[in-house]
Amino acid sequence: MLESLRGNILADIDSDDLRVIVISAKGPVFSSGHDLKELTSAQGRDYHTKVFQACSEVMTLIQDIPVPVIAMVNGVATAAGCQLVASCDIAVVTEKSTFATPGVNVGLFCSTPAVAIGRAVPKKVAMEMLFTGSPISAQDALLHGLVSKVVPEERLEEETLAIARRVCQASRPVVALGKATFHRQMAQGRDAAYATASRVMVDNLALRDGQEGIRAFIEKRKPVWTNKAEKANDE
Amino acid sequence: MLESLRGNILADIDSDDLRVIVISAKGPVFSSGHDLKELTSAQGRDYHTKVFQACSEVMTLIQDIPVPVIAMVNGVATAAGCQLVASCDIAVVTEKSTFATPGVNVGLFCSTPAVAIGRAVPKKVAMEMLFTGSPISAQDALLHGLVSKVVPEERLEEETLAIARRVCQASRPVVALGKATFHRQMAQGRDAAYATASRVMVDNLALRDGQEGIRAFIEKRKPVWTNKAEKANDE
Amino acid sequence: MLESLRGNILADIDSDDLRVIVISAKGPVFSSGHDLKELTSAQGRDYHTKVFQACSEVMTLIQDIPVPVIAMVNGVATAAGCQLVASCDIAVVTEKSTFATPGVNVGLFCSTPAVAIGRAVPKKVAMEMLFTGSPISAQDALLHGLVSKVVPEERLEEETLAIARRVCQASRPVVALGKATFHRQMAQGRDAAYATASRVMVDNLALRDGQEGIRAFIEKRKPVWTNKAEKANDE
């Protein structure tokens, strides 16, 4: 599953036509994380190491690729499944969806999910989830920043695609530069972050699509993007 | 505008009488950020660089000066205007106020606003704002920590000044030491942060106003501040 | 009081039977922090230094010990008392409980409480508390992540013990590994955090209790923990 996710995420990653990725599931479970049968001692330490490396790779890949990734969730997201939701840029979920890190109950503390969840919600929320394994509701997940939007089940696809379409209206290289910069500057101290982001603003303005957007705004017309990371002629 | 803001912020900064700064606006827009006409290719890369340096300087200045800065917002705050709200220590806003980072729509991703906003609200809230450009309401801004208080329009000034007055009842050097220490320790790891803050508590106690406050509390009377960063006689 | 707290926390820390610690108070005040009479100039700088070192030591100890610590709060928690709540892993509080950092009013800015509170709630929430000294309600504390759960007064003990019991159903070394890893990886950058946590997952699987938990899950029975940090035979 992790390899399949990885392959699908990377399939068209360099195509100018790829502008947003939506991850969803069929059935009442969004994802319940690792298959515990893969984690018995029979599989051995090297195999376990490989599994968690593959998992971390997929989770960080979602943040490192140039297009936004939206989780569309209708049901249960637990352990690495909850980590997957936390790792996406945007998450639209139904009212009945729940989120948990129950590993502690089966003797396997959700330490890798905690990397993504601990960076998404307040510390006390993360710790109660991790120490008790109890699920939180979609509303609580929204309240604490784990998900972006809670919608009735019958409107899940419509609301998710509305956000996806908004993302697609923007220029691909502009979004790509913005996404990469967001994660980069957030890992820096404030002053270094401003130095990084200020340089990026100037680079963004030097893009053909950067100049087109500003001209279109001034001329009160819709912009026409190239969606290519090309510099403007006059730069 | 940025130079004027900078000048006004610094005007009386060393005066013992300056205790709090309130930033507000006239009309239905608090601030819509940069003037896009300044950001066309006609202005050139060096000018763009100068603009974003000036902007980052004002935003960090707000956090680095010794008095608290309160944003009093009644209307729209977008892009660098939203960054300004995020950069203030406290923000009191009316119910009709909205907050957005719509740069992505005009081909200029709000990467510098993201430095302040990404440090104020949960990551998923910041990313949805940045990727979609959609505004959030005053209530959502409160829910996620972007603003401190939402009030009816007719009570905006009253509520803002009530907070300002509370700040003014405290000793200036005590507030200055506290504000500087807050930002400094937040950039450190936990143990270094405690070492920093513990030293500061002892220094605070050595201030004339630190000792006066404690004596007044014990003697059940109102403290009389010097508002000067002087050490107590017996230190 | 700090020495007594420290002694009590450490009393049975190495016993396999200690699985969770609950900190509570008698009377209408959970804790109002330092005794200001200990902080007059009469006590002297060296004594002040000793007091704040003892305080920081207790606060960090709570996070560094191998069992979760739950604050059970029914009343006022101010200054270092509010820091204590922020420092616990989980906090269950009654509706009437309030939280404040009023040091600024007595000329002693709550800089050490700010280390814990600034890492628990959004920055603007922390700053308004610190600059104004005004209390926040239990509901606002919940909203912003300072506490884990708000309950009616008559159910405080029941709800707290329900969480404590859930923690006790898990294996002690699994919880200990998870707690230590949580705080360790949260202090690291994302990629280093994943490297840390992935290694820990593999180590967790190598524990006797790790393998027992997974086997019990597959065999659909309740796990029987050793509660000892022993490796499984086949590792």
Side-chain angles (χ1 to χ4, degrees):
Chain A
M1 173 57 87
L2 285 167
E3 277 163 20
S4 152
L5 252 179
R6 188 178 174 281
N8 277 295
I9 288 170
L10 290 177
D12 297 305
I13 204 64
D14 293 324
S15 160
D16 294 347
D17 292 336
L18 182 73
R19 312 288 284 283
V20 68
I21 291 174
V22 177
I23 298 179
S24 67
K26 283 184 180 145
V29 175
F30 175 73
S31 164
S32 55
H34 292 282
D35 179 354
L36 291 187
K37 286 178 191 154
E38 287 198 355
L39 301 179
T40 61
S41 55
Q43 311 292 327
R45 191 176 178 95
D46 288 351
Y47 185 75
H48 297 165
T49 301
K50 216 184 103 188
V51 166
F52 289 106
Q53 276 175 349
C55 179
S56 301
E57 211 186 310
V58 166
M59 301 298 168
T60 54
L61 188 64
I62 287 172
Q63 291 172 358
D64 294 344
I65 58 169
V67 299
V69 181
I70 306 177
M72 179 166 88
V73 181
N74 184 24
V76 174
T78 55
C82 188
Q83 179 185 6
L84 180 57
V85 175
S87 299
C88 287
D89 300 308
I90 293 172
V92 186
V93 313
T94 57
E95 290 154 346
K96 72 169 187 191
S97 299
T98 58
F99 304 87
T101 47
V104 69
N105 298 331
V106 296
L108 181 61
F109 201 92
C110 284
S111 286
T112 37
V115 174
I117 295 162
R119 284 161 177 74
V121 303
K123 243 170 19 170
K124 267 213 178 49
V125 176
M127 285 193 288
E128 197 194 340
M129 290 177 71
L130 292 164
F131 285 135
T132 66
S134 304
I136 65 168
S137 68
Q139 278 301 337
D140 279 350
L142 178 67
L143 186 69
H144 295 305
L146 184 58
V147 307
S148 320
K149 201 164 196 167
V150 179
V151 300
E153 190 171 352
E154 64 274 17
R155 280 175 47 209
L156 177 61
E157 200 168 307
E158 182 192 335
E159 296 268 2
T160 307
L161 293 185
I163 292 178
R165 258 185 235 110
R166 263 198 92 95
V167 172
C168 292
Q169 280 167 14
S171 156
R172 178 178 150 118
V174 168
V175 170
L177 189 59
K179 177 170 172 174
T181 305
F182 181 76
H183 291 299
R184 195 169 144 216
Q185 60 87 353
M186 284 296 286
Q188 299 179 305
R190 185 198 65 179
D191 292 346
Y194 268 124
T196 296
S198 295
R199 260 195 317 271
V200 164
M201 291 300 270
V202 176
D203 289 343
N204 187 153
L205 282 171
L207 285 176
R208 190 183 287 271
D209 282 356
Q211 281 306 314
E212 162 62 11
I214 284 172
R215 263 196 309 266
F217 179 84
I218 293 171
E219 296 167 8
K220 296 180 182 176
R221 60 170 175 82
K222 280 193 76 166
V224 182
W225 308 125
T226 66
N227 287 314
K228 291 181 199 310
E230 297 172 347
K231 289 206 166 183
N233 274 345
D234 37 12
E235 284 285 332
Chain B
M1 173 58 87
L2 286 167
E3 277 164 20
S4 151
L5 252 178
R6 188 178 174 279
N8 277 296
I9 289 170
L10 290 177
D12 296 305
I13 205 64
D14 293 324
S15 160
D16 293 348
D17 293 336
L18 181 74
R19 311 288 284 284
V20 66
I21 291 175
V22 177
I23 298 179
S24 67
K26 283 185 179 144
V29 175
F30 175 73
S31 164
S32 55
H34 293 283
D35 179 354
L36 292 186
K37 286 177 190 154
E38 287 197 354
L39 301 179
T40 62
S41 55
Q43 311 293 327
R45 190 176 178 96
D46 288 352
Y47 185 75
H48 297 166
T49 300
K50 215 184 106 187
V51 166
F52 289 106
Q53 276 176 350
C55 179
S56 301
E57 210 185 310
V58 166
M59 301 299 168
T60 54
L61 188 62
I62 287 172
Q63 291 172 358
D64 293 344
I65 58 170
V67 299
V69 180
I70 306 177
M72 178 168 86
V73 180
N74 184 25
V76 174
T78 56
C82 187
Q83 177 185 6
L84 180 57
V85 175
S87 299
C88 287
D89 299 308
I90 293 173
V92 186
V93 312
T94 57
E95 289 154 346
K96 71 169 187 190
S97 299
T98 59
F99 304 87
T101 48
V104 68
N105 298 330
V106 296
L108 181 60
F109 200 93
C110 283
S111 287
T112 37
V115 174
I117 296 162
R119 283 161 176 75
V121 303
K123 241 170 20 170
K124 269 212 177 51
V125 175
M127 284 194 288
E128 196 194 340
M129 289 178 71
L130 292 164
F131 285 136
T132 66
S134 304
I136 66 169
S137 67
Q139 278 302 337
D140 279 351
L142 178 67
L143 186 69
H144 295 304
L146 185 57
V147 307
S148 319
K149 199 164 196 167
V150 179
V151 300
E153 190 171 352
E154 64 273 17
R155 281 175 47 210
L156 177 61
E157 199 167 308
E158 181 193 335
E159 295 269 3
T160 307
L161 293 184
I163 292 179
R165 258 183 237 110
R166 263 198 93 94
V167 173
C168 292
Q169 280 166 15
S171 156
R172 178 178 151 120
V174 168
V175 170
L177 189 60
K179 176 169 173 175
T181 305
F182 182 76
H183 291 298
R184 194 170 145 216
Q185 60 87 355
M186 285 296 286
Q188 298 180 305
R190 185 199 64 179
D191 292 346
Y194 268 124
T196 296
S198 295
R199 259 197 317 271
V200 164
M201 292 300 269
V202 176
D203 289 343
N204 188 155
L205 282 170
L207 286 175
R208 189 184 288 270
D209 282 355
Q211 281 307 315
E212 162 62 11
I214 285 172
R215 262 195 309 265
F217 178 83
I218 292 171
E219 296 167 9
K220 297 181 181 173
R221 59 170 175 82
K222 279 192 78 167
V224 182
W225 309 125
T226 66
N227 288 314
K228 293 182 197 310
E230 297 172 347
K231 290 207 166 182
N233 275 344
D234 36 12
E235 285 285 333
Chain C
M1 172 58 87
L2 286 166
E3 276 163 22
S4 153
L5 252 178
R6 188 179 173 279
N8 278 295
I9 288 170
L10 290 177
D12 296 305
I13 204 65
D14 294 323
S15 160
D16 294 347
D17 293 335
L18 181 74
R19 313 289 283 283
V20 66
I21 291 174
V22 177
I23 298 179
S24 67
K26 283 186 179 144
V29 175
F30 175 74
S31 164
S32 55
H34 293 283
D35 179 354
L36 292 186
K37 286 176 191 155
E38 286 197 354
L39 301 178
T40 61
S41 55
Q43 310 293 327
R45 191 176 178 96
D46 288 351
Y47 185 75
H48 297 166
T49 300
K50 216 185 104 188
V51 166
F52 289 106
Q53 276 175 350
C55 179
S56 300
E57 210 186 311
V58 167
M59 301 298 168
T60 54
L61 188 64
I62 286 173
Q63 291 172 358
D64 293 344
I65 58 169
V67 299
V69 181
I70 306 178
M72 179 167 86
V73 180
N74 184 25
V76 174
T78 56
C82 187
Q83 178 185 7
L84 180 58
V85 175
S87 299
C88 287
D89 299 308
I90 293 173
V92 186
V93 312
T94 57
E95 289 154 345
K96 72 169 186 190
S97 299
T98 59
F99 304 87
T101 48
V104 68
N105 298 331
V106 296
L108 181 60
F109 201 92
C110 283
S111 287
T112 37
V115 174
I117 295 162
R119 283 160 177 75
V121 303
K123 241 170 20 171
K124 267 211 179 52
V125 176
M127 284 194 288
E128 196 193 340
M129 290 177 72
L130 292 163
F131 285 136
T132 66
S134 303
I136 65 169
S137 68
Q139 278 302 336
D140 279 350
L142 179 67
L143 185 70
H144 295 304
L146 184 58
V147 308
S148 320
K149 201 164 195 166
V150 179
V151 300
E153 190 171 351
E154 65 273 19
R155 282 175 46 210
L156 177 61
E157 199 168 307
E158 181 192 335
E159 296 269 2
T160 307
L161 293 184
I163 291 178
R165 259 184 234 108
R166 264 198 91 94
V167 172
C168 292
Q169 281 166 15
S171 156
R172 178 179 150 118
V174 168
V175 170
L177 189 59
K179 177 170 173 174
T181 305
F182 181 76
H183 291 298
R184 194 169 145 215
Q185 60 87 354
M186 285 296 287
Q188 299 180 304
R190 185 198 65 180
D191 292 346
Y194 268 125
T196 297
S198 295
R199 261 196 316 271
V200 164
M201 291 300 270
V202 175
D203 289 343
N204 187 155
L205 282 170
L207 286 176
R208 189 184 288 271
D209 282 356
Q211 281 306 316
E212 163 62 11
I214 284 172
R215 263 196 308 265
F217 179 83
I218 292 171
E219 295 167 8
K220 297 180 182 174
R221 59 169 175 84
K222 277 192 79 166
V224 182
W225 309 124
T226 66
N227 287 315
K228 291 181 198 308
E230 297 173 346
K231 290 206 167 184
N233 275 344
D234 36 13
E235 285 284 335

